Amino acid sequence: MWINLRRFSIGCLLAWAVLAVSSGGLLAQGVLVIEHDGGIMPIPRPILPQPRPRPIPTASYRVKAVEIDSSINDQQARVQISQTFQNTGSTVVNASFLFPLPPDAAIDHLTLMVDGKEYEGKLMPRDEARHIYEDYVRRSQDPALLEWMGCGVFQTSVFPIPPGAERKVTLEFTQLLRRMDLTHELLLPLATAKYSSQPLDKLTMRLAINTTAKLKNVYCPTYSVEVERGSDHQAIVTFNAENVVPAADLRLFFDIGEELIGASLLNHWAPGDDLGHFLLLVSPDIGHAGEESIPKDIVFVVDRSGSMSGEKINQVRESLKFVIERLNDHDRFNVITYSTNVEKFRPELELASEANKQAALGFANGIFAGGSTNISEAMSVALPLLADSERPSFVVFLTDGLPTAGETNEGKIVQICRDHAGSHVRILNLGVGYDVNSRLLERIADAVRGRSEYVRPSEDIEMYVSRLYRSIAAPVMTDVQVTIDQPDWDAAQGPLAQQLIPAQASDLFFGEQLSISGRYRGHGAVRVTVTGKVGAVTKSFEFPLHLSPQGEGNNQTFVAKFWAARRIGQIIDDIDLNGQQQELIDELVSLSTKYGIMTPYTSFLADDQPNGLAVNDARRARALATDSFGRLAETSGVAGVAQRDFSNRLQSAGGRGGAPAGNQPAQSSPSAAFGGVELQDIDEDRAVATQNVLSVGNMTLYRSGQTWVDASCREIQLDSLPDDVQRVKRFSDEYFELAAGNSVDENLAFARLEAGDQLLIKLRGRLVLID
């Protein structure tokens, strides 16, 4: 969507960019195009920290609110999008509304209303629309509109907006969803609202999904949506935020199937990559939640040492009450508290009967803080309770400090856990505060296929415990293994699917979604097999799915960055637990550079390099990263916790709800809306915006003086460019010829340039310098 303003000067507007999860073929992103004194004004850039100051225009407009409603029935979506604009200037605005349409958009019954009045419009095909976009760029000397090269456009007649007045623009249309195998995809415009002088007061979306076949995975890679599953054929997807700058368009995937579980295979193989990337999603059938939930055994191990006194021990009591009250009748449980000594609620596991739960609540009320921290003894008592269990078994382990009683050696404590925990036991760690030995928790999690989370001093323990318990409340399949193959695949080429993350077997729970990232070679029809234990019975489910060939123009490019983020987190874990290996450090630097995922160990990439990227000098990059990894010796304190939490968040990128890829800023951040990348300050445990790195679609740009350098050109020295470099002046005929053949991401890189900037980029195998 964009609005064309005549005879009006607009300023303080947020400018153009996208998150890495954005991709080609977006339904609509918008901008204000301003005609003034017979010309076109450049589109104002965002009010963000910049290397060079800009003049700030005097007038402005804002988008106050965006509301999206959609009713999806199988492959057809009925959509209504409302945006409330406010003229904050002193002159009447005569505006027309433009809605860019991608070439493959299957849209019908498109209607536009302004404050309830329908306005006529004209639909222009892509060739005619291209001349409009190019004309605006030439006349304004501003490349922002290159984003829509190749799109058609729907344009309305003019309507007025008086000074201070608001206009609610409502667009209604019916869209046929894209479908691949059993997976459906919906794209809806949200990023258009970033072109506003202020953040939105309110952003709301509600999408109702109804399917004839059973609904399985529901997945959004761009926003952390809430999914409410009313039945096995229905879901309500919602997102609500205030004071927000939308950073990306909404992308929603869902699939259907009749088995106990469902599987979706999102994938992309970029030109020039040796292997493709995929994201496999596995979800259980919601309709079986009541009848198929597997009985589980669970032991809560709670630190009550002296450092837990005050509000922390109060929150622990309330956390225990929350989970005890929600145990299923067929579950078994126990509660163990520890300080200098260890105390058990009952000698053995107890069935979660109402009487036993009430007794456990009384035990929880009697917990008080005092004494040292005897982690080794607590584990030695808790784990044998689960040794003979044939059920899914969990230890929820909570601590806020270092081991100070009993065995205090890290390695020996981990060995105690390994010796007493069978292959069926998972230890789920909650580290509270900054005094906890975070490396010990990670080593325990690694030894027993568990995981760790960290509660900051200002955060609520109860919230973390309740969220963790909900994620494991109802097991449906344990020891889940996944294979992807083809009947005629030649094993001599190596495995079809490889470098899977997580690499180990996982468990699947009702209400949760298992996501596995990986690489692939080969393409076409594949068989995805999911095998695991349903109770004591091993079951397998097969799904006929597809992998795209190299260079195919699908729009699921975000899966590559999700895999890269997970792999970087995996490398950090490996170095933390097993020591530095040069091959791993080199791989981390390479992935961090290519995908713009800044880590505490590659922060030097965000420095403004006067002659290109720091990785031009491989020896220097290696030395800087190696030195930075020395910080992993800090096992506790702010930096110790921040480093390990950062690694864990990377390894969950693209997980349930669509976690950001690596260190992309939050969805409400103006920096995120315009391609910003953040650094993790481990000493302050906070994210810090950088001015010298941009994530542009699936590309990464680095600032070197006045030149933005695409990561694919990192081997080029700027003071000695090769003789065959193609030098192109901005807004020349040659420039527009390049733009016409560019991908969406490449044109996004063009659009990011400001006056005085240069861009060094590889286009279709040729090195190009735009200036």
Side-chain angles (χ1 to χ4, degrees), residues 465-478:
V465 172
S466 60
R467 184 178 66 189
L468 185 152
Y469 179 73
R470 279 193 291 262
S471 73
I472 63 169
V476 62
M477 179 180 282
T478 58

Side-chain angles (χ1 to χ4, degrees), residues 391-713:
R391 300 177 171 195
S393 301
F394 304 94
V395 171
V396 177
F397 175 68
L398 186 148
T399 183
D400 78 332
L402 309 174
T404 56
E407 180 57 66
T408 59
N409 178 271
E410 275 186 34
K412 292 182 179 180
I413 294 175
V414 172
Q415 191 60 48
I416 289 171
C417 296
R418 188 178 286 114
D419 291 343
H420 290 294
S423 61
H424 62 294
V425 177
R426 307 284 188 268
I427 300 180
L428 310 174
N429 301 312
L430 276 178
V432 179
Y434 290 128
D435 294 329
V436 67
N437 185 331
S438 56
R439 186 174 65 190
L440 172 60
L441 296 190
E442 295 304 324
R443 293 182 69 180
I444 291 173
D446 180 69
V448 296
R449 289 189 292 163
R451 68 176 189 262
S452 301
E453 294 190 37
Y454 297 94
V455 186
R456 271 43 175 202
S458 61
E459 295 178 323
D460 189 345
I461 298 172
E462 185 178 355
M463 180 191 72
Y464 275 81
V465 172
S466 60
R467 184 178 66 189
L468 185 152
Y469 179 73
R470 279 193 291 262
S471 73
I472 63 169
V476 62
M477 179 180 282
T478 58
D479 294 329
V480 177
Q481 301 277 4
V482 172
T483 61
I484 302 176
D485 59 21
Q486 292 175 322
D488 57 350
W489 178 252
D490 182 4
Q493 301 181 60
L496 177 66
Q498 53 193 273
Q499 300 181 52
L500 273 59
I501 306 174
Q504 297 176 319
S506 302
D507 300 326
L508 183 62
F509 303 89
F510 285 114
E512 294 295 307
Q513 184 169 258
L514 178 63
S515 64
I516 301 173
S517 289
R519 309 292 305 273
Y520 71 91
R521 62 175 79 246
H523 59 85
V526 297
R527 178 179 60 215
V528 175
T529 304
V530 180
T531 303
K533 291 182 179 179
V534 181
V537 179
T538 298
K539 292 188 177 182
S540 292
F541 301 89
E542 292 186 358
F543 304 92
L545 301 173
H546 287 80
L547 289 171
S548 300
Q550 186 174 27
E552 183 179 282
N554 75 33
N555 64 348
Q556 297 167 9
T557 58
F558 58 86
V559 298
K561 194 158 192 175
F562 284 158
W563 177 86
R566 291 185 179 194
R567 177 57 183 154
I568 289 172
Q570 194 179 57
I571 291 172
I572 295 172
D573 255 10
D574 198 342
I575 292 174
D576 188 22
L577 299 177
N578 303 308
Q580 294 190 22
Q581 299 178 42
Q582 202 56 63
E583 295 82 1
L584 292 178
I585 293 176
D586 292 345
E587 183 183 358
L588 184 142
V589 171
S590 177
L591 289 172
S592 184
T593 303
K594 179 176 180 178
Y595 292 100
I597 300 172
M598 298 294 103
T599 75
Y601 321 104
T602 55
S603 59
F604 57 85
L605 293 173
D607 297 337
D608 185 351
Q609 301 298 319
N611 190 35
L613 304 185
V615 289
N616 281 331
D617 184 348
R619 181 179 300 177
R620 177 173 179 267
R622 177 179 293 177
L624 290 170
T626 300
D627 183 63
S628 297
F629 269 113
R631 298 297 303 273
L632 284 173
E634 301 174 49
T635 61
S636 60
V638 176
V641 170
Q643 289 179 90
R644 290 165 182 91
D645 184 62
F646 177 76
S647 171
N648 289 342
R649 286 188 289 112
L650 285 178
Q651 291 181 76
S652 66
R656 183 173 182 263
N663 53 345
Q664 286 294 342
Q667 291 159 341
S668 60
S669 164
S671 175
F674 299 98
V677 171
E678 294 181 339
L679 297 172
Q680 195 69 23
D681 184 339
I682 59 175
D683 292 308
E684 297 290 336
D685 195 13
R686 65 187 180 94
V688 180
T690 173
Q691 301 177 17
N692 298 318
V693 186
L694 288 176
S695 182
V696 180
N698 218 39
M699 300 170 60
T700 304
L701 306 180
Y702 294 88
R703 176 173 287 280
S704 180
Q706 292 186 326
T707 304
W708 287 104
V709 181
D710 176 23
S712 66
C713 304

Side-chain angles (χ1 to χ4, degrees), residues 49 66 119 128 132 160 183 267 391 403 422 450 501 547 597 650 741:
V66 174
Y119 275 74
E128 185 177 350
I132 293 175
T183 301
N267 59 92
R391 300 177 171 195
I501 306 174
L547 289 171
I597 300 172
L650 285 178

Side-chain angles (χ1 to χ4, degrees), residues 114-322:
V114 180
D115 288 346
K117 178 181 177 181
E118 183 173 345
Y119 275 74
E120 296 181 355
K122 178 184 178 183
L123 180 63
M124 288 171 279
R126 57 183 297 180
D127 290 340
E128 185 177 350
R130 175 186 167 186
H131 293 302
I132 293 175
Y133 300 137
E134 185 173 322
D135 178 64
Y136 278 135
V137 173
R138 286 183 185 275
R139 292 166 61 192
S140 67
Q141 296 288 285
D142 185 340
L145 296 186
L146 292 178
E147 175 182 354
W148 293 295
M149 279 286 197
C151 295
V153 68
F154 178 83
Q155 182 178 17
T156 71
S157 53
V158 173
F159 57 90
I161 307 178
E166 297 179 7
R167 289 290 183 266
K168 186 174 183 178
V169 178
T170 302
L171 187 70
E172 295 184 4
F173 58 88
T174 301
Q175 180 180 3
L176 185 67
L177 304 187
R178 296 176 180 176
R179 177 170 175 172
M180 180 66 177
D181 299 322
L182 299 177
T183 301
H184 302 70
E185 179 187 5
L186 172 70
L187 268 65
L188 292 178
L190 276 181
T192 175
K194 65 177 176 274
Y195 296 101
S196 174
S197 60
Q198 303 172 40
L200 275 65
D201 289 346
K202 191 174 184 180
L203 168 63
T204 62
M205 67 174 89
R206 183 182 186 276
L207 302 94
I209 304 173
N210 296 275
T211 58
T212 303
K214 290 182 178 179
L215 180 63
K216 301 297 185 183
N217 293 287
V218 179
Y219 177 71
C220 178
T222 48
Y223 286 87
S224 297
V225 298
E226 295 291 331
V227 180
E228 179 182 345
R229 304 291 293 262
S231 74
D232 54 4
H233 294 268
Q234 298 175 332
I236 303 294
V237 180
T238 57
F239 180 81
N240 297 281
E242 297 179 353
N243 192 35
V244 62
V245 179
D249 287 327
L250 171 69
R251 304 190 66 183
L252 185 74
F253 297 88
F254 65 89
D255 68 352
I256 54 177
E258 298 298 333
E259 298 287 352
L260 175 64
I261 63 173
S264 299
L265 189 60
L266 310 179
N267 59 92
H268 181 74
W269 193 342
D273 283 356
D274 294 336
L275 301 170
H277 295 84
F278 69 82
L279 180 67
L280 176 67
L281 307 172
V282 181
S283 286
D285 184 351
I286 191 67
H288 290 80
E291 60 199 63
E292 297 287 346
S293 178
I294 302 170
K296 66 180 179 294
D297 290 341
I298 186 166
V299 178
F300 302 97
V301 182
V302 177
D303 185 348
R304 66 171 189 86
S305 62
S307 58
M308 289 290 293
S309 62
E311 184 59 26
K312 284 194 284 188
I313 203 69
N314 292 332
Q315 291 181 13
V316 167
R317 293 191 199 103
E318 294 305 312
S319 301
L320 280 174
K321 292 177 184 178
F322 176 91

